[in-house]
Amino acid sequence: MAARVRPISGFPEFLPNGRIVEQRALAALHHTFELHGFGEIETRAVEPLSVLLRKGEIDKEVYAVRRLHAEPGRESSEEDLALHFDLTVPFARYILENAGHLAFPFRRWQAQKVWRGERPQDGRYREFRQADIDIVGQDSLAAHHEAEIALVALEAYARLEAELGLPAVVLHVNNRKLSQGFYEGLGIEDTAAVLQRVDKYDKIGPTKVAELLVTELGLSQSVADQCVALAGIQASDSGFIDAVRALGVTSELLDAGLAELSTLVDTVTTQGLSGRILADLKIARGLDYYTGTVYETELLGHSKLGSVGSGGRYDQLASDGKRTFPGVGFSFGISRLLVPLINRDEIRASRDVPTCVLVAVTSDEARADSLATARELRARGISAEVAPSADKFGKQIKYADRRGIPFVWFPQGADSGEVKDLRSGDQVQASATTWTPPAEDLRPSIIGPGQTS
Amino acid sequence: MAARVRPISGFPEFLPNGRIVEQRALAALHHTFELHGFGEIETRAVEPLSVLLRKGEIDKEVYAVRRLHAEPGRESSEEDLALHFDLTVPFARYILENAGHLAFPFRRWQAQKVWRGERPQDGRYREFRQADIDIVGQDSLAAHHEAEIALVALEAYARLEAELGLPAVVLHVNNRKLSQGFYEGLGIEDTAAVLQRVDKYDKIGPTKVAELLVTELGLSQSVADQCVALAGIQASDSGFIDAVRALGVTSELLDAGLAELSTLVDTVTTQGLSGRILADLKIARGLDYYTGTVYETELLGHSKLGSVGSGGRYDQLASDGKRTFPGVGFSFGISRLLVPLINRDEIRASRDVPTCVLVAVTSDEARADSLATARELRARGISAEVAPSADKFGKQIKYADRRGIPFVWFPQGADSGEVKDLRSGDQVQASATTWTPPAEDLRPSIIGPGQTS
């Protein structure tokens, strides 16, 4: 079939090399999540439109899905469907649908693509992948899980740093109770409106935020200044408490927020991750539903990417009227993190293929020997493929070289032969049942921004 | 958010236990494919509608996708999009789009969901997962790759059998050249029309097929009988050649087909897989584009499922007018294979969670000790989570038991403690830096139809 072949804007795809990088990143996350007792779920790509639109605001971004030739009669009973735009709404639906089969607190991870009809731009895609972790309780959920999610997130990023050479991160944390309590202590009623303006702190700076608070919300200059002063506080330990107290505002909710945030920072620090966490009181997160800790993630040296992982505590992830499910979650922006790095070739795999050994073919009649050699190698976990044709060896070597395969095996019968390292040119006698490549050549390695090839 | 919670017919989802089974099956395939030098690609979920409809026939099954509130002006330049209904069409487009960056023969695997608006019924879903392998050449592709695909497919199924206890399979193979050559030797012109009827052999039986050939295609009874006699031939080795010859039909294309099919069966047998392959001359495959070997897969003892993996050789996977890309591919029907088995509980994971150890909490103040213990265990690859509350130990044990976690750790400080096997009740002194669970408890094991728990 002939086909239209231009890329569709906002729907990034990788060449095989880039996919190896993404595969390895997902494996690192998967491994971390399961070490912490998170099991995976996967939800269907579509939800009823009515479920997706309940969140409001998002309707312009939703992709509706319908059968091209839905037959009017039969189809009228079917609901309108749309592609999910995050993994939280489908998860909430999954919880309600399966609550009777799940043990709470329920811990799950989920790594799927999501779709949003936003105008594509740098770092924004129409199809992109997220990896989410959440811990969800039935009716209640202890605050220490908010520290736990921070620990899991930091350990996942540490693994990406160690295994892929990705830059280190700093987790910026705040607590909604702290901000809201502070605003309430100042006598502000519409605290959500203040948060929405403070959310622009990094983009427009403190002076402009204070201006908005005065002109749009009618706060006095001094109250606005207090809000901006709070947002300016950062500390890598409980030192933020004194800084907040120095502003002279008090409320019970503020006290609760200070205590929770300080416990979280202390817990993370005690578990050997000091320097990776920053209490950052300007972190607001746009979304209404957060009620405790909120997280954002800064990729050091790449702050232009924005937060590469975010989340928070919500007292009501889902509810069926009878039961309520509070939760705390964190979403890793896989595409946001990897697409720019891969496209700019700042991270790549050492070769384009999994293959470690190309087994040459001496003649068409002897192909079975080469197949047997490859089978022996694979039985010991060595990726091997057999040359596509019994060309002159020079041509077979060139084929391996073009694909980035490091070793070529010249068979002498099914079990033994000579194996050539294409990089050094060394060629040695070897047996297919014992020869082993250096560990670093067994599979492609990842060369990240922090490493040289 | 409250949400509609009923399942959508045709969009299967698994509980966490079922997803462990699927995860493990995908890992087994991934591992096999990469050992054979297939690299993974992933394509976007959508293609231009014009690309998807080029195949014809399928239009009723396509799910169109559009932004819910596409702004009339700006959006008019955007193409109509739809969800892919297989992985072959997107792969063909990917080949054309990236041919300059790929080395041919190009080997790839791809495991994604696809969507078809068919009426949901047993074994047919609207959203389901396939895993495809293909080898694609530029302008030419040697026939031995058709044997190679059979070898990879059989090795993949053997791994599913060994690691998941799935039933064994038999790969049924035929060759389009053989069937077409035979029909041509009989003087039949519309060979595709004959194939379409022969495709119903298993469903309606040989007598009915012969009837259709006579009544619908106007073949003489004796010619129709010859076609049906060919379709009835099966052999696990080259014995099928004599059986075909005995029918007294000759043509060059038939000879080519017989030679290719016999080479394929011999190659597979020589590589230690005799008994797993069956030359089965009624295998037709509905699709027009196959030109050589065609494959179907029978899951022994579950023939009602139909073919759980199918594919074939196509001389023109893609073409841009200048270059042509012939290929051979095989598609593993992951959902078709697993959804019925999982839903009927014929295959399941030994526990619902990855967690091997629940670290108990002796008091809220000592939670940091429990976190440290869990961290030590994880550092050695042991999945561990910390109990959600410092309840009485009995309650913490009950929590572990309900989640299927086999071990509970009672900490005495951060590094040592006692560990209890909930199944035997045995409790021993242990150090977090050295204690190791039995290998079979490290992660959930899979209990398949061939095994007892």
Side-chain angles (χ1 to χ4, degrees):
Chain A
M1 61 208 72
R4 290 289 290 278
V5 299
R6 66 184 180 76
I8 303 179
S9 173
F11 290 80
E13 284 181 345
F14 295 128
L15 286 168
N17 190 299
R19 176 60 184 166
I20 294 173
V21 175
E22 189 184 37
Q23 220 185 48
R24 214 61 72 78
L26 289 168
L29 296 181
H30 176 158
H31 189 58
T32 307
F33 300 158
E34 305 226 324
L35 278 178
H36 283 265
F38 291 77
E40 191 188 10
I41 70 160
E42 206 175 74
T43 59
R44 62 191 186 224
V46 298
E47 296 292 336
L49 193 55
S50 57
V51 171
L52 292 176
L53 294 187
R54 193 158 301 132
K55 248 177 144 185
E57 297 173 41
I58 200 92
D59 60 325
K60 251 199 221 155
E61 305 183 355
V62 170
Y63 277 110
V65 164
R66 67 185 333 245
R67 292 183 60 205
L68 194 57
H69 293 291
E71 295 118 68
R74 170 141 68 82
E75 299 299 314
S76 61
S77 64
E78 291 184 21
E79 273 177 290
D80 286 334
L81 300 177
L83 296 174
H84 57 221
F85 56 81
D86 70 3
L87 301 177
T88 305
V89 175
F91 177 52
R93 189 263 313 155
Y94 182 95
I95 289 279
L96 290 175
E97 191 174 319
N98 299 298
H101 301 284
L102 307 174
F104 293 94
F106 177 60
R107 311 153 74 83
R108 82 86 171 79
W109 69 275
Q110 187 172 356
Q112 291 182 243
K113 290 191 176 158
V114 305
W115 294 270
R116 292 184 195 175
E118 298 184 26
R119 186 192 269 280
Q121 48 179 303
D122 202 32
R124 299 248 171 208
Y125 310 102
R126 293 188 150 188
E127 176 182 72
F128 57 101
R129 190 190 305 275
Q130 297 186 326
D132 280 22
I133 49 173
D134 283 85
I135 302 173
V136 172
Q138 184 169 325
D139 300 324
S140 70
L141 184 76
H144 62 73
H145 290 296
E146 296 165 48
E148 188 182 1
I149 286 287
L151 287 172
V152 181
L154 282 171
E155 206 174 300
Y157 283 115
R159 198 176 286 274
L160 292 176
E161 191 184 340
E163 295 182 4
L164 283 83
L166 284 174
V169 302
V170 170
L171 199 64
H172 294 239
V173 287
N174 190 9
N175 191 302
R176 277 284 171 91
K177 293 178 187 168
L178 193 161
S179 313
Q180 259 178 270
F182 187 88
Y183 304 152
E184 286 175 17
L186 284 168
I188 298 170
E189 275 174 23
D190 189 355
T191 59
V194 178
L195 273 178
Q196 278 164 25
R197 272 85 188 165
V198 168
D199 201 26
K200 300 179 180 166
Y201 191 101
D202 276 337
K203 222 182 256 176
I204 63 177
T207 319
K208 291 264 181 200
V209 170
E211 252 181 63
L212 292 180
L213 294 175
V214 171
T215 57
E216 295 185 2
L217 303 185
L219 302 190
S220 72
Q221 187 66 45
S222 70
V223 164
D225 286 345
Q226 290 273 64
C227 293
V228 168
L230 181 79
I233 294 171
Q234 289 190 332
S236 56
D237 57 28
S238 311
F240 67 88
I241 297 182
D242 288 344
V244 175
R245 293 288 183 219
L247 296 176
V249 178
T250 55
S251 85
E252 264 181 50
L253 193 60
L254 171 61
D255 288 348
L258 286 168
E260 283 186 13
L261 188 59
S262 123
T263 302
L264 187 149
V265 172
D266 284 349
T267 302
V268 170
T269 305
T270 312
Q271 297 298 318
L273 292 159
S274 62
R276 293 292 183 218
I277 189 137
L278 188 70
D280 182 353
L281 307 196
K282 71 175 181 295
I283 301 298
R285 306 293 307 144
L287 301 167
D288 272 354
Y289 51 71
Y290 292 123
T291 53
T293 306
V294 284
Y295 317 90
E296 290 195 354
T297 309
E298 176 191 5
L299 190 69
L300 291 175
H302 294 76
S303 52
K304 254 183 36 187
L305 286 182
S307 174
V308 295
S310 312
R313 156 90 189 207
Y314 31 82
D315 282 341
Q316 186 170 324
L317 169 70
S319 171
D320 58 7
K322 228 167 43 202
R323 295 162 303 179
T324 295
F325 299 91
V328 53
F330 190 94
S331 180
F332 296 77
I334 306 293
S335 301
R336 174 175 283 206
L337 178 65
L338 293 181
V339 172
L341 293 174
I342 290 173
N343 286 349
R344 290 197 304 258
D345 208 26
E346 289 181 37
I347 188 166
R348 61 188 169 83
S350 59
R351 56 184 195 250
D352 293 348
V353 293
T355 320
C356 180
V357 180
L358 179 79
V359 182
V361 177
T362 52
S363 71
D364 285 331
E365 295 69 39
R367 175 167 293 275
D369 282 348
S370 300
L371 287 173
T373 301
R375 189 155 47 101
E376 286 287 3
L377 294 170
R378 284 184 210 117
R380 293 184 297 110
I382 302 164
S383 171
E385 59 181 277
V386 174
S389 75
D391 287 328
K392 286 188 184 143
F393 281 164
K395 229 176 144 183
Q396 298 190 45
I397 290 171
K398 217 168 147 190
Y399 169 82
D401 203 38
R402 207 170 59 234
R403 282 170 59 81
I405 302 171
F407 295 98
V408 177
W409 186 285
F410 304 102
Q412 296 157 345
D415 285 342
S416 64
E418 291 190 8
V419 60
K420 185 189 192 76
D421 183 330
L422 292 194
R423 295 149 310 178
S424 65
D426 294 346
Q427 186 163 331
V428 296
Q429 190 71 34
S431 154
T433 53
T434 57
W435 178 83
T436 302
E440 67 270 22
D441 288 331
L442 194 58
R443 50 182 210 156
S445 51
I446 306 297
I447 301 146
Q451 293 140 314
T452 51
S453 51
Chain B
M1 61 209 72
R4 291 289 290 278
V5 299
R6 65 183 180 79
I8 303 179
S9 173
F11 290 80
E13 285 181 344
F14 295 128
L15 286 168
N17 190 299
R19 176 60 183 167
I20 294 174
V21 175
E22 189 184 39
Q23 221 187 47
R24 213 61 71 78
L26 289 167
L29 296 181
H30 177 159
H31 188 57
T32 307
F33 300 158
E34 305 226 324
L35 278 178
H36 284 265
F38 291 77
E40 192 188 11
I41 70 162
E42 205 174 72
T43 58
R44 61 191 186 224
V46 298
E47 296 292 336
L49 194 55
S50 57
V51 170
L52 292 177
L53 293 187
R54 193 158 299 133
K55 248 178 144 185
E57 299 172 38
I58 199 94
D59 60 327
K60 252 198 221 156
E61 305 183 356
V62 170
Y63 276 109
V65 164
R66 67 185 334 247
R67 291 182 61 205
L68 193 58
H69 294 290
E71 294 117 70
R74 169 140 70 82
E75 299 298 314
S76 62
S77 65
E78 290 184 20
E79 274 177 288
D80 287 334
L81 301 176
L83 296 174
H84 56 222
F85 55 80
D86 71 4
L87 301 177
T88 305
V89 175
F91 176 51
R93 188 264 312 155
Y94 182 95
I95 289 279
L96 291 175
E97 191 174 319
N98 299 298
H101 301 283
L102 307 174
F104 292 94
F106 176 60
R107 311 153 75 82
R108 82 86 173 78
W109 69 275
Q110 187 171 357
Q112 291 181 243
K113 290 191 176 158
V114 304
W115 295 269
R116 293 185 194 174
E118 299 182 25
R119 186 193 268 281
Q121 48 180 302
D122 201 33
R124 301 248 170 210
Y125 310 102
R126 292 187 152 188
E127 176 180 73
F128 57 101
R129 191 190 304 275
Q130 296 186 324
D132 280 21
I133 49 172
D134 284 86
I135 304 174
V136 172
Q138 184 168 326
D139 300 325
S140 69
L141 185 75
H144 61 73
H145 290 296
E146 296 165 49
E148 190 182 0
I149 287 287
L151 288 171
V152 181
L154 282 171
E155 208 175 298
Y157 283 115
R159 199 176 285 275
L160 292 176
E161 192 184 338
E163 295 183 5
L164 282 85
L166 284 173
V169 303
V170 170
L171 198 63
H172 294 240
V173 287
N174 190 10
N175 191 300
R176 277 285 169 92
K177 291 178 187 167
L178 194 163
S179 312
Q180 257 178 272
F182 187 88
Y183 304 152
E184 285 174 18
L186 284 169
I188 298 170
E189 275 175 23
D190 189 355
T191 58
V194 178
L195 273 178
Q196 278 163 27
R197 272 86 190 165
V198 168
D199 202 26
K200 301 179 180 164
Y201 191 100
D202 276 337
K203 221 181 258 175
I204 63 176
T207 318
K208 290 265 181 199
V209 170
E211 252 181 63
L212 293 179
L213 293 176
V214 171
T215 56
E216 295 185 1
L217 304 183
L219 302 189
S220 73
Q221 186 66 45
S222 69
V223 165
D225 287 345
Q226 289 273 64
C227 293
V228 168
L230 181 78
I233 294 171
Q234 289 190 332
S236 57
D237 56 29
S238 311
F240 66 88
I241 297 182
D242 288 344
V244 174
R245 292 290 182 218
L247 296 176
V249 178
T250 56
S251 84
E252 265 180 50
L253 193 61
L254 171 61
D255 288 348
L258 286 168
E260 283 186 14
L261 188 59
S262 119
T263 301
L264 187 149
V265 172
D266 285 348
T267 301
V268 170
T269 306
T270 312
Q271 296 299 315
L273 291 159
S274 61
R276 292 293 182 218
I277 189 138
L278 187 70
D280 183 352
L281 308 196
K282 71 174 180 295
I283 300 297
R285 307 292 308 142
L287 300 168
D288 272 354
Y289 51 70
Y290 292 123
T291 53
T293 306
V294 284
Y295 317 89
E296 290 194 354
T297 309
E298 176 192 5
L299 190 70
L300 292 176
H302 294 76
S303 52
K304 254 184 36 188
L305 285 182
S307 173
V308 296
S310 313
R313 155 90 188 207
Y314 31 81
D315 283 340
Q316 185 170 324
L317 169 70
S319 171
D320 58 8
K322 230 166 44 201
R323 295 163 303 178
T324 296
F325 298 91
V328 53
F330 189 94
S331 181
F332 296 77
I334 306 293
S335 301
R336 173 175 285 209
L337 177 66
L338 293 181
V339 172
L341 292 174
I342 291 172
N343 286 349
R344 291 198 300 259
D345 208 27
E346 291 182 37
I347 188 167
R348 62 187 170 83
S350 59
R351 56 185 194 248
D352 293 347
V353 293
T355 319
C356 179
V357 180
L358 179 79
V359 181
V361 177
T362 51
S363 70
D364 285 331
E365 296 67 40
R367 175 168 292 275
D369 282 348
S370 299
L371 288 172
T373 301
R375 190 155 46 98
E376 287 288 3
L377 293 171
R378 285 183 208 117
R380 294 185 295 109
I382 302 164
S383 172
E385 59 180 276
V386 174
S389 77
D391 287 329
K392 287 189 183 140
F393 282 163
K395 227 176 147 186
Q396 298 191 46
I397 290 172
K398 216 168 150 192
Y399 169 82
D401 203 39
R402 210 171 56 235
R403 282 172 58 81
I405 302 171
F407 296 97
V408 176
W409 186 285
F410 304 102
Q412 296 156 346
D415 286 342
S416 64
E418 293 191 8
V419 60
K420 185 190 192 74
D421 183 330
L422 293 194
R423 296 149 308 179
S424 66
D426 293 346
Q427 186 163 332
V428 296
Q429 190 71 33
S431 154
T433 54
T434 57
W435 178 84
T436 302
E440 67 271 21
D441 288 330
L442 194 58
R443 49 183 210 155
S445 52
I446 306 296
I447 301 148
Q451 292 139 313
T452 49
S453 51

